[in-house]
Amino acid sequence: MIQVSKEELELQTLKQKIIAKVRHPFLTKFIPEPVIDEDKLVLLASIMDDTNLPDVKKEQYIITTMLVQVALDTHDLVTLTDEDEERETVRNRQLTVLAGDYYSGMYYYLLSQLDDIPMIHTLASAIKDINEQKMELYYKDVDSFQEFMNGLRDIESLLIQRVASYVQQAGINDVAGEWLLTKKLLDEKKNIQQHGFSPLFDLLLKSPTTNTNYAQIMTTVENMIQKNINRLELTLSQLPLHFNLLKSYVHTTLSDHQYTKQFAEEG
């Protein structure tokens, strides 16, 4: 029998509570249930583990932040999906927008119960900055691949970094940015390998200033992944013991993607 650690059980419990919050009987009839971003969930759980907050508040912060992420991800399904009606009906697109708005309303409701105005401001500021960065990435021509990657890193990590700073755990912010960008690149690389395209990297192909193709993108992405993993190996090994769940998670994820970097279990 596979043994599951206490931390992993707590993570599974948190995930189930988040799923329960976002499950809506009408929406699930027409659109897939949202995918919970486990990378961000593990980071949040690790961050909160080193605070002096009451357990109830830790859980509320994690669930609320993840609801924000679900709302952001759900709206992206419309932004990054082909507008061909044969691939997605107008009705489903409208329901997807509605679902994102519904999840947004959920986190405001939960925060209002906390009576935590500073946290509301923290999340609202992060949402504003992330959406501005998405507008730059999705609708404007980027000048270079590196500029595109910098924007992508901000989109993927700003929410977690702002919450970490709010609970005085900003020391994890560099690791969060590095890992979340790396994981996004791994996922997009997998999309290209399995399906022959990546909606995200299509934005690069459409930009007249980048002048690239999928083969070049794949080579550049692979080089960036390798460099990021090398940096992560060093920075993760220096983190304190309570980040062992994160270290183990990163190692397992990289192994699943056929990368074999080993991270020390002690910091």
Side-chain angles (χ1 to χ4, degrees), residues 41-171:
L41 179 57
V42 170
L43 276 163
L44 283 170
S46 299
I47 289 165
M48 294 300 167
D49 188 49
D50 197 39
T51 69
N52 294 321
L53 294 169
D55 288 344
V56 171
K57 180 157 281 194
K58 289 180 184 179
E59 180 176 296
Q60 287 173 320
Y61 279 177
I62 291 170
I63 292 175
T64 303
T65 304
M66 289 306 299
L67 285 174
V68 173
Q69 188 62 55
V70 167
L72 291 167
D73 290 344
T74 302
H75 283 137
D76 278 352
L77 292 177
V78 177
T79 307
L80 289 174
T81 301
D82 195 315
E83 296 182 0
D84 189 339
E85 293 186 12
E86 291 182 0
R87 295 184 61 181
E88 183 180 19
T89 67
V90 171
R91 184 186 190 192
N92 280 9
R93 292 176 65 83
Q94 291 170 338
L95 284 170
T96 302
V97 173
L98 176 63
D101 293 342
Y102 169 72
Y103 305 139
S104 298
M106 282 294 298
Y107 78 75
Y108 278 122
Y109 171 69
L110 290 174
L111 283 178
S112 69
Q113 290 183 313
L114 277 177
D115 191 25
D116 197 331
I117 301 301
M119 183 59 163
I120 292 175
H121 286 164
T122 296
L123 293 177
S125 173
I127 292 166
K128 173 180 173 291
D129 291 344
I130 289 169
N131 283 331
E132 287 178 354
Q133 192 63 62
K134 285 180 178 179
M135 292 294 290
E136 291 287 329
L137 209 65
Y138 298 162
Y139 300 112
K140 294 184 179 180
D141 294 332
V142 294
D143 292 330
S144 67
F145 184 86
Q146 189 58 54
E147 180 186 341
F148 185 88
M149 289 297 113
N150 291 342
L152 186 57
R153 178 187 286 107
D154 286 345
I155 289 169
E156 290 299 313
S157 62
L158 266 179
L159 180 63
I160 304 302
Q161 290 172 337
R162 296 290 175 80
V163 172
S165 297
Y166 179 73
V167 297
Q168 300 180 343
Q169 294 295 318

Side-chain angles (χ1 to χ4, degrees), residues 213-226:
N213 56 46
Y214 264 129
Q216 293 170 328
I217 289 175
M218 287 289 282
T219 299
T220 308
V221 164
E222 181 59 34
N223 290 336
M224 181 168 283
I225 289 171
Q226 293 288 356

Side-chain angles (χ1 to χ4, degrees), residues 203-263:
L203 297 172
L204 276 172
L205 295 177
K206 293 175 183 177
S207 174
T209 57
T210 53
N211 189 27
T212 189
N213 56 46
Y214 264 129
Q216 293 170 328
I217 289 175
M218 287 289 282
T219 299
T220 308
V221 164
E222 181 59 34
N223 290 336
M224 181 168 283
I225 289 171
Q226 293 288 356
K227 288 179 181 178
N228 287 359
I229 289 174
N230 290 337
R231 285 195 293 267
L232 279 166
E233 181 183 33
L234 175 62
T235 53
L236 279 175
S237 67
Q238 295 173 343
L239 289 177
L241 284 172
H242 77 269
F243 282 103
N244 278 349
L245 173 63
L246 176 61
K247 297 175 188 180
S248 176
Y249 177 83
V250 170
H251 172 246
T252 300
T253 303
L254 290 175
S255 296
D256 290 343
H257 284 268
Q258 300 182 337
Y259 291 86
T260 57
K261 285 290 182 183
Q262 301 290 323
F263 296 105

